[in-house]
Amino acid sequence: MLAGIRIAALLSALTGSSCAGIEVAPVDATTGTFHSSATAFTFLGLDFPQSAMLLARANAADSQLPNLIVTRERVFPYFWRLDFLLDVISVRWASVQGTYGPAD
């Protein structure tokens, strides 16, 4: 009984936790670069609270910087064709980097 409660508490803590952040480095008054990252928990094919890549992109979009252009995306871990193995239970980290500024 106590082991079941511990497992339920651990799963609740993992599913309720996610981490996202953004770093902005201005080059001048109107342009610069950004780096957004996020972490998500996957259990039986469901991402909590959302997929890590969607969280990182949404975090960058919520910054309301003008003309965001993504230049690099990364997800870790990524097993290519064996990526379905991570859908059982895993923690994924995603990173989005790019530039912002006025439209050309």
Side-chain angles (χ1 to χ4, degrees), residues 20-40:
I22 187 167
E23 297 173 17
V24 177
V27 174
D28 57 30
T30 58
T31 62
T33 61
F34 70 91
H35 177 243
S36 177
S37 61
T39 306

Side-chain angles (χ1 to χ4, degrees), residues 71-91:
T71 57
R72 184 174 183 186
E73 291 182 337
R74 291 182 295 175
V75 176
F76 179 80
Y78 179 68
F79 293 153
W80 193 52
R81 289 191 182 197
L82 299 177
D83 209 35
F84 68 91
L85 296 173
L86 295 173
D87 286 341
V88 176
I89 188 167
S90 67
V91 175

Side-chain angles (χ1 to χ4, degrees), residues 10-51:
L10 176 64
L11 287 177
S12 296
L14 288 174
T15 59
S17 66
S18 69
C19 183
I22 187 167
E23 297 173 17
V24 177
V27 174
D28 57 30
T30 58
T31 62
T33 61
F34 70 91
H35 177 243
S36 177
S37 61
T39 306
F41 174 71
T42 302
F43 182 68
L44 296 179
L46 300 173
D47 295 320
F48 295 100
Q50 237 178 1
S51 86

